[in-house]
């Protein structure tokens, strides 16, 4: 049986390989969020389910505990949305989170994403099925660039 640290490194390497593959297939784009002074990892942000024909993608993110509450996530969401709309000429970006995740709901709102509705029991988490809030930003809206 592999030690936990070894399993974690192998799992992280698998994620990175998958994310690089998505970049090459133009189906996803993922970035590490790091502190500009210390180079410490603060989180991850990305676009998945990219559809270049329709100009759509889903924005995803997570932050470390030390990055939370400092605007890092909201600023990262704004930066990626601006890049997607200005450099990649996307039309629409969606963001979804569990209805139980009030922090992600605030991040979406601060970044300028509009709440569209709720997808019932649409995501399976470790503790069971969750209803998911769906937010979106359309090209030309407030922070969309």
């Amino acid at each position: 049986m592999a030690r936990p640290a070894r399993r974690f490194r192998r799992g992280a390497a698998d994620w990175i390989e998958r994310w690089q593959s998505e970049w090459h297939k133009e189906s996803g784009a993922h970035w590490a969020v790091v502190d500009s002074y210390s180079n410490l990892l603060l989180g991850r942000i990305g676009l998945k389910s990219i559809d270049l024909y329709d100009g759509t993608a889903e924005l995803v993110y997570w932050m470390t505990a030390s990055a939370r509450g400092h605007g890092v996530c909201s600023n990262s969401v704004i930066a990626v949305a601006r890049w997607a709309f200005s450099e990649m000429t996307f039309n629409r970006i969606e963001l979804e989170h569990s209805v139980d995740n009030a922090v992600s709901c605030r991040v979406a709102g601060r970044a300028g994403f509009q709440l569209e509705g709720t997808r019932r029991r649409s995501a399976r988490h470790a503790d069971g099925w969750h209803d998911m809030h769906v937010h979106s930003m359309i090209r030309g809206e407030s922070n969309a660039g």
Side-chain angles (χ1 to χ4, degrees):
M1 183 172 193
R3 294 189 338 217
R6 202 172 285 152
R7 278 195 312 258
F8 177 78
R9 282 193 298 271
R10 188 171 42 244
D14 290 346
W15 278 352
I16 292 168
E17 186 177 314
R18 187 178 74 238
W19 294 337
Q20 288 173 333
S21 171
E22 288 177 8
W23 180 267
H24 293 297
K25 290 189 265 183
E26 298 179 332
S27 63
H30 305 271
W31 298 271
V33 178
V34 298
D35 180 276
S36 59
Y37 297 105
S38 68
N39 213 28
L40 287 175
L41 178 68
L42 300 176
R44 169 244 179 174
I45 191 160
L47 295 170
K48 68 178 195 172
S49 304
I50 290 175
D51 182 328
L52 294 175
Y53 180 79
D54 286 334
T56 61
E58 181 183 351
L59 195 139
V60 295
Y61 54 82
W62 57 260
M63 294 293 140
T64 63
S66 64
R68 296 178 192 146
H70 304 289
V72 173
C73 193
S74 297
N75 289 334
S76 298
V77 168
I78 290 167
V80 169
R82 283 184 179 158
W83 173 81
F85 288 119
S86 65
E87 299 296 320
M88 298 303 295
T89 65
F90 277 66
N91 177 56
R92 172 189 172 87
I93 299 175
E94 287 188 3
L95 179 162
E96 85 174 15
H97 62 82
S98 171
V99 297
D100 296 332
N101 189 339
V103 173
S104 278
C105 205
R106 286 193 298 275
V107 165
R110 284 185 190 127
F113 281 72
Q114 301 298 310
L115 179 61
E116 289 189 339
T118 303
R119 286 191 180 126
R120 300 178 312 136
R121 293 188 61 176
S122 67
R124 185 180 228 161
H125 291 211
D127 63 348
W129 289 99
H130 282 237
D131 292 352
M132 302 295 282
H133 275 166
V134 178
H135 300 259
S136 70
M137 184 179 284
I138 306 297
R139 178 183 206 52
E141 290 181 338
S142 63
N143 289 326

